[in-house]
Amino acid sequence: MNQQANVNDPMQEVGRLVQWGVHNLVNWQRSQNTAPIDYIQFNLPAEMPTMPHPRNPILERIQGKAPISLMEVERAFQRIALDKRPKGVLLYLQGAQMSLAELQMLRGSIKRLRESGKHVVCYAKGYDLRTYYVASAANEILLQPGGEVSTTGLLMQQLFLKDSLQWAGIEVEVVAISPYKSAMDQFSRTDPSDEVKEMMNWLLDSQFNQIVSGIAEGRNIGEDDVRAMIDTAPHIDLMALENGYIDGITNEEGLRAHLKAKDIVLWDKADGMIMEKWLNLMGKYVAVLHLEGSIVDGESANPPVDVPVPLVGGPRIGDLTVVQQIRNLMHDDRAAAVVVSINSGGGSATSSEAIASALGELAKDRPVIVYMHSVAASGGYYIATPADYIVVQPGTITGSIGVINAKFVTKGMYEKLNAHPYEYKRGENADIYASTGGFKDGQREKMRDSIDRIYEQFLGRVADARKKKVSEIDAIGGGRVWTGQQAYENGLVDELGSLFDAIAKAKEMAKLDADAPAMLVQQKPKPMPAQLAEQADPAAIIKYWLGGLNDLYGGRALLMMPYEITFKD
């Protein structure tokens, strides 16, 4: 069970302060070594979490240290910017298989480091469009000999399984608020509707234009030149250099000579050589509550093994856990403002309401700022409605204001298996959620009444939050999905920016000093024996998946965005 540690525990505060003091004393002693640090190297993996996710000692021995997070990169860059010794930073990019919003967060950190006067160099064995988009924020782009600049564009794919399910004897009954609310289309259709084609095209246009304009700005070239680079890709190393797409070709052994650096220090070593800024950990602070995953009833959880299906796999935002975290913050007078970082495509309508209600209560006595990360759509947008202010990346996926209800009908599958279910029921609608048959006419009407009521409630929440008429929200709602840029233009969010902009806004609204700390709301880890048991239990992942299947396909109203969307270079 994941629950927030008690932020009011005085012993916890003392322990945190002592730990911080010891860490900085060690840093101070090490920093007395006046040997110059020319460049600090970061080896950045293709996938990086937003927040730190430390592994327990057992998993760390098996899988190694957890990958560096985007928050840790920003914090490291801030420290490097304040140290006079490093000339710059070398980023060894090993790909960029992250959402556009995550890439924009990383680019923002690179741009801020450059603005501090540090020289930022990106090096890779090859560049696809997303990796190149990140690298374009740096001063220099270097490529390994024989590598390619494969900026071939964006490809979006959707997979439709209706015929496959029918072959297995399974059908899907769907009641949606509008054709744009297409979360179950992959199970109930063989191709996209006209409305979905329209929506997917406006999303792809927005994302593509953001990448093109970002590269143009970073490389100081025209957008037409960027489009020409994309349309004629891939480019071999010599051609890329000749056209100015990269600034140099070198192998790793030649990096030091190219940078005219006596020393290139890995961040793991440099971390102990650069001082951290003094923070008043005993005063007022901004609490950062990170919510990631599908929204479900019950406790938050992370899967023993992940599968890329919402609710079935991936992390879960449990209403019981989050509501308790919010209530704990209500009793913490030192938490002068709260930033809620949301990364969720939605889930249970009732759980979304419970979380939104608790955040609304919290917002009565302190500023609540929402930062929307990779995706904050449908239920993810719903829980943002109590916020005083919403910050979103241009590439964030958001909106999807709408409701859907669906259940899988397995009658045909039983027939194929020569299985014969027999039911006994009391009550006319006792079988309304049963998988052995579809919705009867009266039951379908009840499902429609249910989603109409939830949609009405959703529209009301958004209209109140955005100070607009319900009809205005309905015109951009109905399940329509937007990028952050489009959401800003439609008035669904307040600012285009990063998590750090959201934290700065929280400090401003709470009248805190700019140096006030921002502290992540930590979750209490499980006892070690329970962790070991979970990892060792072969049935753990099956139990997790089955729980998700029940949440997703049990016939309940869902605030889910269309989730089977894959962008590929």
Side-chain angles (χ1 to χ4, degrees):
M1 179 183 298
N2 293 326
Q3 291 190 358
Q4 178 191 333
N6 185 352
V7 293
N8 292 307
D9 185 349
M11 292 306 296
Q12 184 186 65
E13 295 292 346
V14 171
R16 186 188 297 119
L17 187 61
V18 169
Q19 184 181 29
W20 182 87
V22 170
H23 176 72
N24 277 279
L25 177 60
V26 172
N27 278 350
W28 178 82
Q29 290 174 333
R30 290 175 176 173
S31 69
Q32 300 312 296
N33 180 0
T34 56
I37 307 173
D38 285 342
Y39 279 86
I40 297 173
Q41 179 175 331
F42 289 78
N43 296 331
L44 299 184
E47 296 183 76
M48 301 166 61
T50 306
M51 301 291 181
H53 287 296
R55 291 171 175 157
N56 67 54
I58 302 298
L59 283 181
E60 190 168 305
R61 290 178 70 90
I62 298 171
Q63 300 177 348
K65 292 181 65 175
I68 190 170
S69 68
L70 295 170
M71 276 289 287
E72 289 169 314
V73 168
E74 170 69 17
R75 184 179 178 186
F77 284 5
Q78 289 176 354
R79 291 167 58 192
I80 292 169
L82 294 173
D83 195 300
K84 295 180 180 180
R85 291 172 296 166
K87 295 177 183 177
V89 164
L90 172 64
L91 303 179
Y92 191 155
L93 304 179
Q94 298 163 30
Q97 300 304 311
M98 295 180 281
S99 71
L100 182 55
E102 289 168 325
L103 301 182
Q104 289 168 340
M105 186 172 177
L106 180 55
R107 287 184 95 249
S109 295
I110 293 171
K111 291 167 72 173
R112 282 186 288 274
L113 184 59
R114 282 186 62 179
E115 290 166 1
S116 75
K118 302 300 183 184
H119 191 76
V120 182
V121 180
C122 284
Y123 175 79
K125 296 176 180 177
Y127 293 92
D128 58 20
L129 184 58
R130 289 173 179 268
T131 311
Y132 191 84
Y133 177 60
V134 171
S136 67
N139 297 90
E140 282 189 86
I141 300 178
L142 303 179
L143 177 65
Q144 176 178 284
E148 288 187 337
V149 176
S150 298
T151 51
T152 53
L154 296 178
L155 174 67
M156 183 171 64
Q157 296 178 335
Q158 291 180 288
L159 179 65
F160 295 90
L161 302 172
K162 178 180 178 179
D163 288 346
S164 299
L165 292 173
Q166 284 186 338
W167 173 82
I170 301 172
E171 295 184 359
V172 180
E173 290 264 358
V174 179
V175 182
I177 202 66
S178 86
Y180 290 102
K181 194 65 180 177
S182 53
M184 293 296 171
D185 279 11
Q186 71 171 131
F187 302 120
S188 61
R189 294 182 60 95
T190 58
D191 59 5
S193 65
D194 290 341
E195 292 84 357
V196 168
K197 288 178 183 177
E198 176 192 14
M199 184 168 64
M200 294 301 103
N201 276 306
W202 80 48
L203 286 173
L204 193 59
D205 283 342
S206 182
Q207 291 208 338
F208 186 69
N209 290 338
Q210 289 175 41
I211 290 174
V212 168
S213 63
I215 292 173
E217 178 191 14
R219 298 296 293 172
N220 196 26
I221 58 177
E223 292 189 9
D224 287 343
D225 294 326
V226 176
R227 289 189 172 90
M229 175 186 73
I230 292 170
D231 289 339
T232 55
H235 306 279
I236 61 172
D237 52 355
L238 296 175
M239 187 66 70
L241 182 62
E242 181 181 337
N243 284 288
Y245 303 149
I246 59 175
D247 302 296
I249 301 172
T250 180
N251 50 33
E252 290 185 51
E253 288 70 24
L255 283 170
R256 188 177 300 175
H258 178 89
L259 298 174
K260 298 178 181 177
K262 293 181 180 179
D263 197 15
I264 299 177
V265 181
L266 287 173
W267 171 244
D268 285 350
K269 180 180 178 182
D271 185 18
M273 302 168 65
I274 296 178
M275 283 285 286
E276 289 198 42
K277 192 174 183 179
W278 170 266
L279 296 175
N280 179 14
L281 297 181
M282 299 303 288
K284 298 277 188 179
Y285 72 97
V286 174
V288 180
L289 177 61
H290 184 59
L291 304 181
E292 181 170 9
S294 301
I295 301 169
V296 301
D297 300 332
E299 299 287 351
S300 297
N302 287 290
V305 179
D306 198 9
V307 291
V309 180
L311 295 181
V312 178
R316 295 176 189 161
I317 302 169
D319 61 336
L320 294 182
T321 300
V322 176
V323 168
Q324 185 58 52
Q325 289 175 323
I326 295 168
R327 288 173 180 166
N328 286 347
L329 287 170
M330 289 181 193
H331 295 292
D332 183 6
D333 294 333
R334 290 181 50 240
V338 178
V339 172
V340 184
S341 171
I342 301 174
N343 193 16
S344 172
S348 164
T350 54
S351 298
S352 299
E353 169 62 26
I355 294 170
S357 178
L359 283 174
E361 192 68 22
L362 178 66
K364 289 180 180 178
D365 67 355
R366 72 200 73 192
V368 173
I369 314 300
V370 159
Y371 167 68
M372 295 179 171
H373 193 46
S374 297
V375 55
S378 202
Y381 189 92
Y382 191 101
I383 62 178
T385 54
D388 298 291
Y389 200 81
I390 298 176
V391 179
V392 61
Q393 293 280 8
T396 298
I397 298 298
T398 188
S400 193
I401 298 166
V403 192
I404 193 168
N405 190 303
K407 73 170 180 175
F408 276 40
V409 179
T410 56
K411 180 180 179 181
M413 182 183 69
Y414 287 129
E415 291 173 353
K416 286 178 177 289
L417 296 173
N418 289 322
H420 307 285
Y422 189 87
E423 295 177 341
Y424 303 85
K425 75 171 188 175
R426 298 293 185 273
E428 186 62 29
N429 294 315
D431 59 350
I432 191 169
Y433 300 122
S435 66
T436 48
F439 293 127
K440 300 172 185 174
D441 289 343
Q443 293 174 345
R444 181 173 287 276
E445 290 176 11
K446 289 184 179 296
M447 292 297 99
R448 185 73 204 187
D449 289 343
S450 174
I451 66 169
D452 284 345
R453 171 65 186 117
I454 294 171
Y455 184 55
E456 177 186 26
Q457 183 172 296
F458 201 163
L459 289 177
R461 269 196 173 276
V462 179
D464 288 345
R466 306 312 304 171
K467 297 179 174 56
K468 291 179 178 289
K469 296 178 182 177
V470 168
S471 59
E472 292 178 288
I473 301 301
D474 186 34
I476 54 177
R480 295 171 179 84
V481 180
W482 310 101
T483 63
Q485 178 71 50
Q486 293 167 329
Y488 178 72
E489 293 165 358
N490 284 320
L492 289 174
V493 300
D494 298 294
E495 180 182 336
L496 296 176
S498 69
L499 173 60
F500 316 108
D501 295 313
I503 292 171
K505 185 66 178 181
K507 292 178 183 179
E508 174 192 325
M509 295 182 71
K511 297 180 171 56
L512 293 178
D513 188 84
D515 290 335
M519 299 168 65
L520 183 63
V521 176
Q522 299 288 345
Q523 296 193 340
K524 185 183 295 183
K526 299 178 182 178
M528 183 62 69
Q531 287 180 329
L532 289 172
E534 182 179 86
Q535 295 300 325
D537 180 8
I541 186 59
I542 304 300
K543 296 173 186 175
Y544 195 88
W545 291 348
L546 289 175
L549 283 167
N550 181 64
D551 285 326
L552 183 57
Y553 310 130
R556 287 192 266 179
L558 296 172
L559 304 180
M560 287 292 296
M561 65 164 287
Y563 51 79
E564 196 59 35
I565 303 172
T566 303
F567 292 97
K568 294 186 177 181
D569 295 328

